[in-house]
Structures are given as C-alpha cells and as structure tokens.
Amino acid sequence: MTVEPLPSTEFRYSITNNFSYLYQVYCSYILLYKNADNKSEFMPLELLERSLKILVRKYYQPVAGWYQIRDDEIDVVCYSDKFNDPPVSTQTLDMDMAELSRHIYESNTDLLVPKAPSGVITPENPDIPMFLAKVTYLESNNAVVLGVTYHHSLMDGSAFWMFMNNWASVCNQLCEQKDRTEFDLPFPPTFEFPDISHLRNPSKTFEHPEYALVDAEQCFKEFQPTGDKIVESKLVISVDQQQQLRQQAKEFGVSFTEMLCAILWKGANDLRLQARPSIGPEPSLYTCATNSRARLGVSSTLCCSPVINTSCQKTVAEIADLDLCKVAHLVHNAIDKCSGEYLVSSIDFLLQQRKKELADEIQGRGDKRAIMLVYVCPMPLKCTVSSSRNFPIYKTDFGFGAPKYVRPPFLPFEGCMRIWPTPQYVGGSSNAPLEVYVSQPDYIDLSHSPLLRNFSPTKLTVIH
C-alpha cells in the first residue's frame, strides 16, 4: 500500500503588527563553556545540531522560515514540510585558555561569531537566516565557545534567551534519552501578536519622540557610526553598591533600574560637556529599551520583538544643571508614560508612516520621509540603555554545565550602555555584582566622573 504524503501546510507570522518591523538588525553573543571534568565528548557538534533542528522544526517554526514582503506587510512564512534551518558552522583552534579568553573578552566576533548578512529585509533577500550558530572547539578539549547571532525582528532579548534556554533543554533531554520525540520546554513559546485594539483610545493623542522622520536616502535601520573613535568600558556594580542604589531609588521614588539609568545618563552627559563645552545647547538624548509585554497584557513567552525605546530629551547644559533626583524622575516619566494606550498609539504611528513610505515609493514622490528610531540618528550626545540583568543567560546549560562567561556584543556606537548580569547573578539575585558595558568616544574617561568612578570603570581592548 502506498502512503500518500501529507499536504504541505503554510503558516504566516506577521512582524508588521507590532514594533518588530523596526528591528531589522542582527544581534550576537559569545558563550564560553569550560570542560572542567575533562569529558572526552564535550558539547559534541552532532548533538548541538540535532537539538537545534528539533527545536526550530517542532516548536519555533518561524525561526526556520522565510521573509516575505506583501505590499505594506512583512511576514515570516514557514511550512510543515520544508525548512530554512539555521546554519551551524564549526572550527577547531590550537590555542590555550588564556588566549581564547582574551579573544572572548575583546569581543572578537570575526573569529568566534557566525558572519551574518545585512539584516535589512528586502524582496531580494527573503532567505536570510533568523538564527546562526558557530561552535569553536579547542585542540586541547578544554573548552567550547558558542557564538550565536539572531535577527532582532523575530526575537527581542527576552525571547532570545528563552529560545537559548529551550535549545539547551532539548539538548539535555536528548542526552538522557537519544530517541526522545517529545520535550518539556522551560519557556514554551507562543506566536502571533494578539489584537490589542481594545487598548486604543481615540480621545487621547500622544507625541512619539521615540521616532524620527528623516530624508529617506539618509535613513538607516541599523546604527551608523559617528566620526569619533568609539571605545568600550566596563563598570562593575558591587552588591553593596546595588543596595545603596536601591535605598537611594526608594528615597527618590523611582525604581532601581531608573536610578541606575539616571546615573549613567548624567555621568556621561557631564563628562561630554566638560570635554566639549560648545555642545551645551545641543540635545542630550536618553532612550531605554522597554519590554512592552506586561503593559500590553500579552504572554511573557510571546516570541516577537515588542520593544519600545522610550525617550526623553533635554539640552546637554540642562542635564548638567539638574540634580540626580530630577534626572531620575525624567527617566521615570519616560518609562512610566508607556501605558497600553500609548503603546497602541505608537504602533499606529509606526504603521501609518510605513504605509505612507510605500505609497511614496510606488508613486515616485520626491522629498520622501522615512521613519527610524531616534536613537540611531546622529546626535551630539546619546545615552541608550538596555538591561539584560533578569534574563536567564547563565542558565543556558546544554547538559555540560552553565556558561562560565557570556560576552555581550561590542557596539561601536556612541552612548550604548548595556546592563549585564555576572555568572553569580542567576534569577535576578541581588547577592551578585552587575556589569555595565559602555560605548563612548575615546576622549571620555569614565573614571573622571564623580557618579561613575566608584564603579571601577575599566577601558577594554576590543577587536572589531
């Protein structure tokens, strides 16, 4: 008897009914795993590849899909019988742990991270991968480095680290039972951004300073470097310092994260003004990546990129004149305004502008304006903060132990500040230090700031 194959089923996942459309970039990380027990088979490639393929085909079909542009819509299209599987590359290096650690610490993405194409979605590049991995082994078998890259339109940082933990979990379960076909995921993903029209309030209007309208020919969806040489520094916030910040935040009536953001913004602002007094009348921009899931009432495991970069802007001189409490309240107000009504209005503004851009393009209109996130615009002073401190980064255990160190990417763009957990900071523990990676012009020395010097700023040597 001949068994007829099941008909192919198509699934579509929209990235234009939420904020994901704007994030047409790739993000990368480097994870170091040490073979402390000298296992002969340590994170074998076949196991990593098999568990990844199972994960995307069974639970993350859009990650094995293709982009498709239809008029003003961008979809991820996936099928039940064919897959755009994430590519996995590998290499084996003859170097000791000290040299390997140096390459990781210096963020040597050319060596340790898979090379990704441009993340900008066009009709000409529908096959660009949603996720890439590169596994680096040592001749000595002392360690494995996992370099990963993902497309930001499909996942934000929260969804990405859930994806990584789910991949690690599938790998763990295959270690226990090789022929296993069903898996228990720690973060079962959901898809399809829900209808949030009930949050729309026609009686309210909002300004949206998180976006800028610029000449279309000058519009880049990716960060654009400035003329200054950008270097990276690392701050370390001890447990005692965190407790002091929490107490200060309580006194000011703001959150711990808002308190830390205010210190970073004012500290960088004041140093920049001291170095170049002429920029006093120029804008000083603060933005913060805010996960909107809770405010929109959607699942915490929704796989998408529903991040809004809330913003606040004063002049450089104004921020220098304000005390820290007032700066903290500027930060608080920028984040606090993101109600469900505001977020729906922001999405509406984004999609209306996209429709206009497409209409201009079709009709050949001149003087076209394109939308972009304000924090990628050239500006004399920017403080762009993202926090990953509560993500399950150091729980990414593939069955061979948790990572010993995870390196966030060096972003050679002025004002990027990433709040990052340390290996001890599992599950948001307050009994572990935090790190902050800061990208700033090389003429700035963070140790000269009264607000930042106590966090032991160390200027890093970075390969890029």
Side-chain angles (χ1 to χ4, degrees):
M1 182 178 68
T2 303
V3 178
E4 294 294 329
L6 293 174
S8 176
T9 304
E10 179 186 282
F11 307 92
R12 287 186 173 272
Y13 176 68
S14 173
I15 69 165
T16 44
N17 63 352
N18 60 79
F19 302 107
S20 296
Y21 152 67
L22 279 184
Y23 298 100
Q24 298 183 28
V25 294
Y26 282 101
C27 299
S28 301
Y29 298 95
I30 303 172
L31 297 84
L32 170 65
Y33 293 86
K34 290 187 178 180
N35 186 5
D37 297 328
N38 295 315
K39 295 181 179 179
S40 58
E41 290 287 311
F42 185 70
M43 296 183 67
L45 182 64
E46 185 277 332
L47 179 62
L48 294 175
E49 287 184 311
R50 184 181 171 213
S51 54
L52 178 60
K53 185 175 290 188
I54 289 172
L55 179 72
V56 299
R57 291 188 175 193
K58 194 175 182 66
Y59 302 104
Y60 282 90
Q61 291 89 347
V63 179
W66 292 263
Y67 286 109
Q68 187 176 101
I69 299 177
R70 298 185 302 167
D71 298 325
D72 61 342
E73 296 289 330
I74 302 178
D75 293 338
V76 175
V77 183
C78 45
Y79 303 90
S80 59
D81 61 342
K82 60 180 179 177
F83 307 93
N84 184 21
D85 287 319
V88 179
S89 57
T90 186
Q91 64 181 346
T92 301
L93 302 178
D94 184 11
M95 63 175 59
D96 59 23
M97 276 299 304
E99 185 179 1
L100 178 66
S101 298
R102 178 177 60 81
H103 283 293
I104 296 170
Y105 199 63
E106 294 177 351
S107 189
N108 190 345
T109 53
D110 287 343
L111 178 66
L112 300 172
V113 170
K115 179 71 173 176
S118 168
V120 179
I121 304 166
T122 68
E124 291 73 35
N125 67 348
D127 296 336
I128 60 174
M130 313 293 176
F131 179 81
L132 308 88
K134 185 175 185 177
V135 188
T136 298
Y137 296 93
L138 294 184
E139 292 279 5
S140 64
N141 197 31
N142 287 337
V144 166
V145 174
L146 182 58
V148 291
T149 299
Y150 71 98
H151 200 280
H152 205 338
S153 72
L154 197 61
M155 294 183 276
D156 62 352
S158 175
F160 170 73
W161 286 108
M162 290 182 186
F163 173 87
M164 289 295 293
N165 274 248
N166 286 334
W167 179 16
S169 177
V170 171
C171 193
N172 263 288
Q173 293 172 68
L174 286 175
C175 287
E176 297 171 357
Q177 183 180 340
K178 291 184 179 181
D179 60 350
R180 188 165 186 152
T181 58
E182 297 296 327
F183 301 86
D184 298 318
L185 302 184
F187 302 103
T190 59
F191 295 90
E192 290 302 329
F193 200 82
D195 180 13
I196 55 174
S197 59
H198 63 283
L199 298 173
R200 187 174 289 110
N201 187 344
S203 67
K204 286 189 177 181
T205 58
F206 299 93
E207 297 293 326
H208 290 289
E210 63 267 25
Y211 303 127
L213 296 179
V214 301
D215 185 329
E217 293 184 356
Q218 303 298 319
C219 179
F220 298 96
K221 292 183 174 66
E222 299 172 330
F223 274 112
Q224 297 301 305
T226 61
D228 293 319
K229 179 183 178 183
I230 303 299
V231 297
E232 187 177 45
S233 295
K234 183 179 74 172
L235 310 178
V236 178
I237 306 173
S238 69
V239 173
D240 288 343
Q241 288 171 332
Q242 289 176 61
Q243 292 174 346
Q244 292 167 10
L245 287 177
R246 291 181 194 282
Q247 180 59 39
Q248 191 174 25
K250 184 177 180 181
E251 294 170 1
F252 287 178
V254 299
S255 71
F256 169 79
T257 299
E258 291 164 349
M259 187 74 243
L260 182 53
C261 288
I263 289 172
L264 295 172
W265 184 15
K266 183 167 175 58
N269 181 93
D270 295 357
L271 284 176
R272 212 74 63 85
L273 181 60
Q274 292 168 17
R276 295 183 176 175
S278 62
I279 68 171
E282 300 292 335
S284 178
L285 174 72
Y286 162 80
T287 68
C288 181
T290 303
N291 183 345
S292 65
R293 289 176 177 83
R295 290 176 172 86
L296 292 173
V298 300
S299 169
S300 63
T301 60
L302 179 67
C303 187
C304 66
S305 193
V307 173
I308 181 171
N309 282 270
T310 60
S311 66
C312 178
Q313 187 171 303
K314 294 287 185 180
T315 68
V316 175
E318 284 173 334
I319 294 299
D321 289 340
L322 292 176
D323 62 33
L324 186 59
C325 179
K326 290 180 179 177
V327 176
H329 277 276
L330 288 175
V331 171
H332 170 79
N333 292 338
I335 296 174
D336 190 57
K337 71 181 179 184
C338 289
S339 64
E341 293 175 342
Y342 183 90
L343 292 165
V344 172
S345 173
S346 185
I347 292 175
D348 288 346
F349 179 86
L350 171 64
L351 297 184
Q352 288 167 8
Q353 183 59 31
R354 171 166 168 75
K355 292 177 186 291
K356 184 179 182 303
E357 288 174 29
L358 288 171
D360 287 344
E361 183 177 337
I362 292 170
Q363 298 176 22
R365 293 175 186 156
D367 191 28
K368 293 181 290 187
R369 306 286 282 174
I371 193 167
M372 64 191 297
L373 289 161
V374 68
Y375 71 83
V376 305
C377 297
M379 195 169 291
L381 194 148
K382 292 183 289 186
C383 174
T384 301
V385 181
S386 62
S387 177
S388 303
R389 67 188 181 93
N390 291 323
F391 296 163
I393 295 170
Y394 284 99
K395 290 185 176 181
T396 314
D397 181 354
F398 287 84
F400 301 86
K404 295 300 180 184
Y405 178 61
V406 179
R407 178 63 157 99
F410 166 58
L411 300 176
F413 311 105
E414 183 176 348
C416 292
M417 303 185 184
R418 284 139 297 145
I419 303 171
W420 197 251
T422 55
Q424 307 97 310
Y425 201 91
V426 176
S429 169
S430 59
N431 295 315
L434 276 174
E435 296 176 338
V436 181
Y437 290 82
V438 180
S439 300
Q440 82 281 343
D442 65 347
Y443 63 83
I444 296 297
D445 187 341
L446 300 186
S447 65
H448 292 167
S449 166
L451 290 172
L452 302 176
R453 67 165 63 107
N454 290 335
F455 302 136
S456 306
T458 302
K459 192 168 286 190
L460 304 177
T461 301
V462 178
I463 298 173
H464 63 95

